[in-house]
Amino acid sequence: MSKNTQAEENREAKPFKKSRLVFEPSLGVLGFFLVGLCLVWSFFYFDYRTVAKSYNLSDNSERFVWLKLDNNSKNNKSDVIGSKRVGFLEQSGDGCDVFDGVWVWDESYPLYQSKDCSFLDEGFRCSEFGRSDLFYTHWRWQPRHCDLPRFDAKLMLEKLRDKRLVFVGDSIGRNQWESLLCLLSSAVKNESSVYEVNGSPITKHTGYLVFRFKDYNCTVEYYRSPFLVPQTRPPSGSAKKVKTTLKLDTMDWTSRQWRDADVLVLNTGHWWNYGKTIRTGCYFQEGEEVKLKMNVDDAYKRAMETVMKWIQNKVDSNKTQVFFRTYAPVHFRGGDWRTGGTCHMETLPEIGTTSLVSSSETGQQLKILGDALSRYSNRSETVNVKVLNITAMSAQRKDGHPSLYYLGLRGPAPLHRQDCSHWCLPGVPDTWNELMYALLMKQGRAKEANGTGNVTMS
């Protein structure tokens, strides 16, 4: 081979060598990227399979159908919630505990959208003010041994025709009240026919609000009373450290305004702690005596006895059905509302947890309430109270709080100032109202069956 021929071959080979130098690293990077992508997808896939089985997500969910889960959860589901369930409203559902159950994924939820409801505080409109995940709106409560009736807003309004439904309690009670306003108004075509009777706007600082549903001549009302007993100035001559007192032997002074309601929903709990009482100079009073050494649990017990006595002596059980909703746990991690506690990373329920229910504060409150109820139910004249025992089910919903998204247009809030006690709407309080609806419908069926005007729900 001549030198000229070799030189020509070398010249022809040089471009190929250069291109090989260019492509070889690129192919290596591309291969590494593809392998990494496959690994990430695999982790997500298998992790989702675990989550799906844990939370009873349906294979037919449009949102996740591309994963093509083989889901053997039908068998698992029947083990968890019972393969044979009866309708709660049927006679065979009389023994069903609707508070014993699990959260299941349901694409037909939520029952309304916050943007379609004008009766919500900005603080509860999480999805409108920055919260992008909507998983928390798609969970439905499923009792283990029966099926709840689906909430029917028109039927509920018919049942409330010419009646008053009143919520009394703290801001979590207000959370539930606003939830019911949204649920009911979803069945009203003329929005202007639902209005606050005094023209007051929705605001957290109003003492009471009364919304009338004109077409049904009914009202759904809220009265702010965090303790259910009055907080007042201390008697003259009290110690300097006593700024206010809770009169444990007296019902809240506004009680005369709501004792004649047809349905009365009471709650208290979030303010019964050291931080919101003794630390702020709020002590406990019986008669004219301030009990400087009384602790919060004993004071709460005394207040619950006063509430039960008031129900027995002042409320007409032939007219008024009383519900008492139990404490809804908070979900602060790494602190509380004042010390940087957070919940903004929570997007899924914590199914089966009992840690918050068995915590000293929550567990003690439940015990005190149970003792007060049983003490009066053992008397000849039963106290007409139905307990909405939502503590355990709500303890599992660490994903349902506003976290950073409670300031409306001024948000999001700083990371160290989160709200992990109230609830986004639509959300968990809707379930509390669905349960109350089911119990009221059950009461109506029993009344029809017995042919009586009153049914005691003890």
Side-chain angles (χ1 to χ4, degrees), residues 395-413:
Q396 302 174 27
R397 293 305 306 275
K398 59 191 175 76
D399 58 316
H401 299 287
S403 63
L404 302 170
Y405 309 109
Y406 63 92
L407 294 178
L409 294 173
R410 296 174 291 122

Side-chain angles (χ1 to χ4, degrees), residues 41-85:
W41 187 90
S42 298
F43 284 132
F44 171 78
Y45 177 71
F46 289 114
D47 182 61
Y48 179 79
R49 287 164 59 92
T50 303
V51 170
K53 289 182 179 180
S54 298
Y55 296 107
N56 292 322
L57 299 186
S58 170
D59 289 359
N60 298 321
S61 167
E62 293 178 5
R63 190 166 304 181
F64 303 113
V65 71
W66 61 274
L67 285 173
K68 300 184 184 297
L69 304 181
D70 61 359
N71 190 22
N72 293 319
S73 65
K74 287 186 178 180
N75 294 331
N76 295 336
K77 187 174 180 180
S78 65
D79 291 340
V80 174
I81 60 179
S83 57
K84 293 183 179 180
R85 295 192 306 273

